[in-house]
Amino acid sequence: MNLKVAMHGIESSFHHQAVEKLFPNEEITLLMCDSFEKVTNAVNNSIADYGVIAIENTIVGSILPNYSLIDTGAFEILAETVLNIQMYVMALETESIHDIKEIHSHPVALLQCREYLQKFPPQFKIIEGKDTASEAKKIKDQNLSGVAAIAGKQVAEKFGLKILDSNIQDIKENHTRFVLLGKKEKQRFKKANKASLKFELDHNVGSLGNVLSLLTTFNINLTKIQSLPIVGKPWQYAFFVDVVFEDENFFFEVMEILKKTVKELKILGVYQQDETNMEAQFSNARINGKQ
């Protein structure tokens, strides 16, 4: 069965790598989108069976707009995967690093390489583009001299570009977490030990502490917490959390108790934790994208 998967970016991008990791043995057709919103719209409107979007990075933190897209979508998080992200500077074969006057890449990729980019003179142009691979492809297609892109090594190999500098991200252990979005009936994995939740609280002293204590009491490990403003409710926030657990049935029993503790609870997805990059799984809760 051929599956249609929507993703941000084009072939050879990091999102493409994430898709290949999530669907290692299946025949898929890629629906390549130039925005995260178009990915979620494709899933919402059943144009695609699944969608894949990045949700957080170990340097940049949470990709906040994508939390809102997941929250408002008519789908669930069905799976996750974590990739080791190494950034490279690439340009035409005739270029050297001294020839480059501007660098193009996706805004999140540029943020992962801030320290490197600060070394260039003030007149040097840093241009935000649609995605890493598309910016590299544009250099090749338009034969752009004096222009480089920041992307993965696989992109340079795909489009025949010359690597001018390697591993330029701010930290060596750079990981990005991607989530698989789809309708509940398209769930691919039976075993689950992780969940993503959203809840709102009343303005009572200790209300968040009560939630955290409840999870601790029932041995449900909080791995991430992220607050986002509630649109239309100034100075009120929703909390997005990831938790891991051992027994799925017991987890849902605890959720019934949690519903009575919070103002509103929404389970965004129950899925299997990606254990192939455990060093990238945050053991401590992170608030507002900061460790």
Side-chain angles (χ1 to χ4, degrees):
M1 178 181 177
N2 188 288
L3 299 173
K4 184 172 286 188
V5 181
M7 69 171 198
H8 181 262
I10 64 174
E11 288 181 314
S12 79
S13 66
F14 292 119
H15 275 83
H16 188 198
Q17 287 189 318
V19 171
E20 291 180 325
K21 188 176 174 186
L22 287 162
F23 297 91
N25 302 311
E26 286 144 301
E27 184 179 351
I28 62 171
T29 298
L30 292 175
L31 178 60
M32 294 175 280
C33 305
D34 60 9
S35 73
F36 292 119
E37 188 172 9
K38 288 181 180 179
V39 174
T40 55
N41 285 342
V43 181
N44 275 331
N45 298 325
S46 299
I47 298 171
D49 297 301
Y50 301 100
V52 175
I53 63 172
I55 194 68
E56 62 181 317
N57 172 264
T58 48
I59 297 176
V60 177
S62 299
I63 304 174
L64 298 180
N66 289 357
Y67 279 83
S68 297
L69 291 175
I70 292 172
D71 180 34
T72 57
F75 46 72
E76 295 185 0
I77 298 175
L78 303 180
E80 70 171 9
T81 189
V82 179
L83 296 182
N84 186 305
I85 305 295
Q86 304 296 310
M87 295 296 189
Y88 294 76
V89 180
M90 58 198 67
L92 297 174
E93 282 287 345
T94 54
E95 305 290 274
S96 73
I97 194 66
H98 304 291
D99 299 318
I100 303 304
K101 301 296 185 294
E102 57 186 66
I103 286 186
H104 297 221
S105 196
H106 187 271
V108 176
L110 293 172
L111 285 172
Q112 294 172 39
C113 307
R114 282 178 293 190
E115 293 180 7
Y116 178 83
L117 294 172
Q118 287 173 358
K119 298 176 183 178
F120 290 92
Q123 66 271 23
F124 190 85
K125 293 182 180 179
I126 300 171
I127 310 296
E128 295 183 353
K130 292 181 179 180
D131 69 270
T132 55
S134 294
E135 294 305 308
K137 184 176 185 295
K138 182 171 66 176
I139 291 172
K140 182 68 172 182
D141 291 347
Q142 299 180 18
N143 197 36
L144 299 177
S145 59
V147 179
I150 292 177
K153 184 178 181 180
Q154 73 282 357
V155 175
E157 295 170 349
K158 171 74 174 178
F159 299 115
L161 295 173
K162 179 182 177 182
I163 292 176
L164 304 181
D165 213 343
S166 305
N167 307 116
I168 65 165
Q169 68 281 353
D170 290 352
I171 60 174
K172 181 179 179 181
E173 292 300 328
N174 182 30
H175 294 83
T176 296
R177 178 179 169 225
F178 301 82
V179 291
L180 177 70
L181 308 174
K183 302 297 176 67
K184 187 173 183 179
E185 63 269 19
K186 294 184 180 293
Q187 178 64 264
R188 301 173 63 246
F189 302 99
K190 299 298 181 183
K191 180 183 176 183
N193 61 358
K194 188 173 183 178
S196 294
L197 316 171
K198 174 203 172 185
F199 59 81
E200 297 179 21
L201 299 171
D202 291 315
H203 283 290
N204 297 326
V205 175
S207 56
L208 179 57
N210 291 336
V211 171
L212 301 181
S213 296
L214 175 68
L215 295 175
T216 301
T217 299
F218 290 103
N219 199 32
I220 293 179
N221 184 29
L222 180 73
T223 61
K224 178 187 171 84
I225 181 168
Q226 174 74 52
S227 64
L228 264 74
I230 301 173
V231 178
K233 298 181 180 180
W235 311 116
Q236 294 187 43
Y237 296 85
F239 293 90
F240 293 79
V241 304
D242 291 335
V243 297
V244 293
F245 50 85
E246 294 183 0
D247 186 294
E248 187 174 351
N249 292 328
F250 182 64
F251 162 77
F252 282 109
E253 291 177 9
V254 176
M255 291 303 99
E256 291 300 317
I257 299 173
L258 184 59
K259 284 180 182 178
K260 301 173 183 178
T261 306
V262 301
K263 189 175 180 180
E264 179 184 327
L265 174 66
K266 181 178 181 181
I267 299 176
L268 301 174
V270 181
Y271 48 96
Q272 189 172 6
Q273 184 181 35
D274 180 8
E275 297 181 350
T276 59
N277 281 286
M278 287 303 296
E279 70 275 13
Q281 303 296 311
F282 310 143
S283 58
N284 297 316
R286 301 172 64 216
I287 301 178
N288 293 329
K290 297 179 181 179
Q291 294 197 48

